[in-house]
Every structure is written in structure tokens, then in C-alpha cells.
Amino acid sequence: MYLLYNSLLLLASLGGLPYFALKSLRTTRYRAGLRQRFGHIPEETRASLQGIRPLWLHAVSVGEVIAAVPLVAALQRHFPGLPVLVSTVTETGQMTAREKMAAEACVYFPLDYPWVVRHVIARVQPRLFLMVETEIWPNFLRELACLRIPALLVNGRISPRSFRGYRRLRPFMRQVLQPITSFGMQTKLDAERVIDIGAEPSRVRITGNIKYDLSLTPLAGAEEQQLRDDLGIGKAPVFVAGSTHRGEEELVIAAYLQARAQIPALRLLLAPRHLERLDEIDSLLRQHQLTARRRSLGRPPSYGPAASVLLLDTIGELAKVYAVGTVVFVGGSFVPIGGHNVLEPAAHRKPILFGPHMHNFHQIAAALSEAGGALQVRQPEMLGEHVITLLQHPERRQALGDAAYQVLCDNQGAIERTVGLIAQVLSPNGEN
């Protein structure tokens, strides 16, 4: 089965080479860390890890990195002598990890070719490998097993789409999952799914979702006003649209214009998921006779009618910036992306709106909806009406925000359980 997997992997790589070559000429997103992906370990990384065997934590992109920040901090408290190496796949994930994690080193994850992962693992020699959520790479895990290096899946989840695919490959997945020492899954359903696709039941635990353990403190009134002043929005009501994707900005702009017709002072704070799309979004705003200011250019002196939109063009600020929202929409949910982290605005007691596509955050979205802490907007054309209703009814906003915050508080504790699972593999002094 591994022979077939590697043959298909090689064919896919060769087939996709022209596409990635063209993309790499157009954007740094595909060039970033290319040498590292093929097994090169930077000199500064080798120097920082010289003579030590780190804990290697892998988080794909920004969402997984931010979720893992308090986990890394907890591990460093519990195992102070254990250095941490963090790897990501995306450029934005790499930038976020370097900014927010106190790790010894941050690298790009190697491509899953046998000769590449063999070289990288031999050079790094991790004591323990942690993969966040569902990053399962067959050759990498197989090489860890050959070297008797334990691997743990933490904050594990299996989406409905992934589950359908994995079930079709169950004989192979049983082999792939065999090297994993423990599975810390978010929910009972995730635990059942990973067992169904081949995990040994005795190795599976329900540890909860570490995303509930946000290292994010709600801003006090003066702090929120200071942030508003820094952003140049003063005391105006603000419609925040976070982590939006192509196809959603048009919907957000339409909703904003609809709401602004009722509430003229309303401002829009738009935070696209991928910053390389900023020029595209600027152009879209101009088509609607809207002029945007960008956060990185500093505080504007004031917002007039011609500059009612703020584009958040910085990495890692959105979780805090949600604090200025009067109403919040979380993107990736009107397009079939699967949604983004709705707990960040919940931490600020904000009324939350999201679309129908929330499969990546299904359990969290369901918990918020059932508790009256968020509203799911089934039809995009209804977004503006929901925004208007919430802007006009402060008591409704308060009730939604309070309920969302309570859901967040009620579900915390996953990090402590995850650290306990890791401690079963590591001895008290941080060694295998």
C-alpha cells in the first residue's frame, strides 16, 4: 500500500509541477520555505537545536497555530527543560508561529517523500511528535515509528468529508494510524470516527477542543476605546467581517451598504483570510464607491463618508480586533471552506453571525447556536437584515454575546487533559 501511495504522490507532484511553478512566479505564498519543504534545515535552526532532542509540534496554518499557542505555553510550564520545534505548511502560519510562540525554532513541514522525511527526522531527532487536528502524513509517521519516536494526535478531529475519504481507504489507514501512540480527540463523534477508520480503541481519548482554551482576555472598556482610537473608528458602530474568502466580500459589502442606509455612522472592518487578495478587495470596494484605509498604514486622522472601511492587513491581530465589533460575521462560512474560529469574538462577548458552511467548526457552531450565542444566516441575502436587527437592538446583542462567552467558559480544560496525555508518554524530566 505504501508503494502505491508513494507512486501516486510522485505522479501528483509531477503533474502539478507546472501549476506550482507558475504560482511561485506570481506569489511568495508558493515560494516560501521551498528548500525547507525539500529537507533543508536552516543553519540557525540546526544551531538552536544542537545537541538536544525537541518536542516537535506541527500546526498547518494560522488557525491551528493560534489554537496551539496556549498548549505550547502549558507544555513549557510542565516540561521546562523540553525545547519546542514548531512546523507549519502555510506562510501565514509560519509568520504567526514566529510571532506568537516562544519556540526554539520554527520551520516549514517537509514534503511527505520518503527520502525527504527520513533526512529531516534524522537531523532533528525529536523526542515526541505532536500533530494538531488532522495532519496525517503516512511516510512521516512510518519513519517516526522506525526510529521509535512516539507520535500523538492532539485536538484531533475528523470532518465528515475526511471521514468519507478515509473510510474508503480503511485498510491503508489502519497501517498509517498504527504508529500513533495516542489520539486526543475533540469529541465523542471524532473518537468514534478515528476508531472506525482504523485507530486502536485503547489508544483513543476524548480530551476536548483546545480552541476553547483561548489565551485571550476580553478588553476592558478603556482598552477597547483605546483600540478603537488606534484604528481610527472612535465611537462609531462597527460591522466586523473576519477571515473572509473570495465570494464573501461581495456579500459583506452588500450587507454593509444595506445596514449603513439605516445606520449612517456604521463602519466596516474587513479582514480577509489571505492578505495577497487585498488589492483585489480594494478594487471591489471602489466598484461600490467605497474607499478603504489599511491598518498597517497607521492611524488615520478621521473617518469621513469616503473612508468608512478599514482593511485589516496585518497578521495575528484579528482575535483582538474583534473587540471593537458591534456585530461580527465570521467568514469561510458562505463559501464551502468550513468556517473559521468563532470563539475569538465569543471571548469578547460579541454577537456572532456565520453562514451555512461550518463543518470545520461543527461542534462549536452547534454549541453556540443551541445556547443562543450565535446566529446562523442560511441565506446570504439575509445578512444585512441580521446586521440591522442587531444594531438596532442592543439588548439582543448583549444576550448573544453573554451566551457565547458562557459557552466558551463552560468548555475549557482541554489543554490540561491534553498535557496529561502527553505526560503519559514523557517522563517528569521531559525524556522518553
Side-chain angles (χ1 to χ4, degrees):
M1 292 292 285
Y2 277 91
L3 178 60
L4 178 60
Y5 166 74
N6 286 317
S7 299
L8 292 174
L9 182 63
L10 186 58
L11 286 173
S13 300
L14 292 174
L17 189 60
Y19 171 82
F20 284 103
L22 181 61
K23 285 288 188 180
S24 67
L25 293 174
R26 293 180 175 177
T27 173
T28 60
R29 183 182 173 188
Y30 290 87
R31 294 196 300 271
L34 189 60
R35 290 185 67 200
Q36 293 181 39
R37 298 177 202 272
F38 279 96
H40 172 74
I41 302 175
E43 181 61 39
E44 62 271 20
T45 300
R46 293 200 300 269
S48 65
L49 299 176
Q50 185 68 37
I52 58 177
R53 298 184 62 200
L55 180 154
W56 183 340
L57 181 140
H58 177 56
V60 183
S61 190
V62 175
E64 293 80 11
V65 169
I66 291 175
V69 167
L71 174 60
V72 170
L75 288 171
Q76 290 172 330
R77 289 194 302 271
H78 282 79
F79 309 105
L82 183 61
V84 177
L85 168 70
V86 175
S87 62
T88 70
V89 171
T90 68
E91 180 184 12
T92 51
Q94 187 76 188
M95 294 170 63
T96 305
R98 291 179 180 275
E99 177 185 347
K100 293 186 174 297
M101 285 182 167
E104 270 65 29
C106 296
V107 297
Y108 284 93
F109 194 73
L111 296 172
D112 200 39
Y113 302 119
W115 58 92
V116 173
V117 299
R118 189 175 301 122
H119 170 75
V120 172
I121 293 172
R123 296 299 298 269
V124 174
Q125 294 188 329
R127 289 176 179 162
L128 174 66
F129 179 72
L130 303 179
M131 47 201 148
V132 179
E133 296 202 1
T134 320
E135 268 295 281
I136 299 172
W137 293 104
N139 286 322
F140 191 92
L141 291 173
R142 192 184 195 190
E143 185 62 24
L144 289 175
C146 290
L147 296 175
R148 298 184 180 277
I149 297 169
L152 275 70
L153 178 62
V154 299
N155 209 44
R157 69 178 181 88
I158 307 290
S159 70
R161 181 178 178 182
S162 296
F163 181 56
R164 289 191 296 269
Y166 288 148
R167 285 196 73 184
R168 288 193 289 267
L169 301 171
R170 190 181 301 173
F172 179 53
M173 289 305 301
R174 186 174 290 110
Q175 296 180 52
V176 171
L177 298 178
Q178 181 60 35
I180 300 179
T181 306
S182 292
F183 299 80
M185 308 305 292
Q186 293 182 13
T187 67
K188 183 175 183 289
L189 180 59
D190 292 310
E192 291 170 348
R193 284 175 173 170
V194 79
I195 290 170
D196 198 2
I197 64 175
E200 171 59 44
S202 63
R203 300 181 184 180
V204 178
R205 300 286 185 275
I206 300 170
T207 51
N209 191 337
I210 65 175
K211 289 184 176 179
Y212 282 108
D213 291 322
L214 286 175
S215 56
L216 186 63
T217 303
L219 299 188
E223 294 173 310
E224 180 182 332
Q225 189 56 55
Q226 182 60 57
L227 179 57
R228 282 174 158 269
D229 291 341
D230 290 343
L231 295 170
I233 55 180
K235 295 183 180 297
V238 181
F239 174 32
V240 176
S243 294
T244 58
H245 290 255
R246 181 176 287 114
E248 291 186 313
E249 287 86 11
E250 292 93 335
L251 304 174
V252 166
I253 291 169
Y256 169 62
L257 291 173
Q258 183 183 352
R260 195 176 69 166
Q262 300 288 326
I263 301 98
L266 182 65
R267 300 295 181 250
L268 173 63
L269 195 159
L270 187 54
R273 184 69 174 181
H274 300 120
L275 297 187
E276 63 266 25
R277 298 185 52 243
L278 285 165
D279 290 341
E280 171 191 334
I281 296 167
D282 253 334
S283 176
L284 182 63
L285 288 164
R286 287 195 297 272
Q287 291 174 30
H288 291 273
Q289 287 76 54
L290 293 170
T291 302
R293 295 182 184 271
R294 298 194 183 188
R295 162 66 161 158
S296 65
L297 299 181
R299 175 186 172 186
S302 65
Y303 270 86
S308 58
V309 181
L310 175 64
L311 274 179
L312 190 65
D313 61 345
T314 52
I315 297 291
E317 268 201 304
L318 180 58
K320 180 180 179 181
V321 167
Y322 276 131
V324 306
T326 312
V327 178
V328 169
F329 166 73
V330 178
S333 59
F334 274 138
V335 291
I337 298 297
H340 291 293
N341 195 348
V342 286
L343 293 174
E344 291 172 346
H348 295 292
R349 287 186 163 93
K350 298 301 174 179
I352 304 163
L353 302 171
F354 51 76
H357 300 287
M358 288 294 292
H359 49 268
N360 287 340
F361 290 83
H362 171 72
Q363 186 271 334
I364 294 174
L368 287 172
S369 297
E370 290 169 8
L375 297 175
Q376 188 163 47
V377 184
R378 297 288 180 181
Q379 301 298 326
E381 60 270 18
M382 294 301 296
L383 180 61
E385 290 296 331
H386 282 284
V387 172
I388 292 170
T389 299
L390 289 173
L391 288 171
Q392 292 178 337
H393 296 87
E395 73 289 346
R396 178 67 172 136
R397 296 199 307 269
Q398 185 69 46
L400 280 165
D402 288 345
Y405 184 73
Q406 192 61 49
V407 169
L408 174 64
C409 294
D410 289 346
N411 287 277
Q412 292 183 337
I415 286 181
E416 182 179 352
R417 291 187 288 272
T418 300
V419 170
L421 191 65
I422 294 168
Q424 294 177 13
V425 179
L426 295 174
S427 64
N429 62 2
E431 296 181 351
N432 289 347

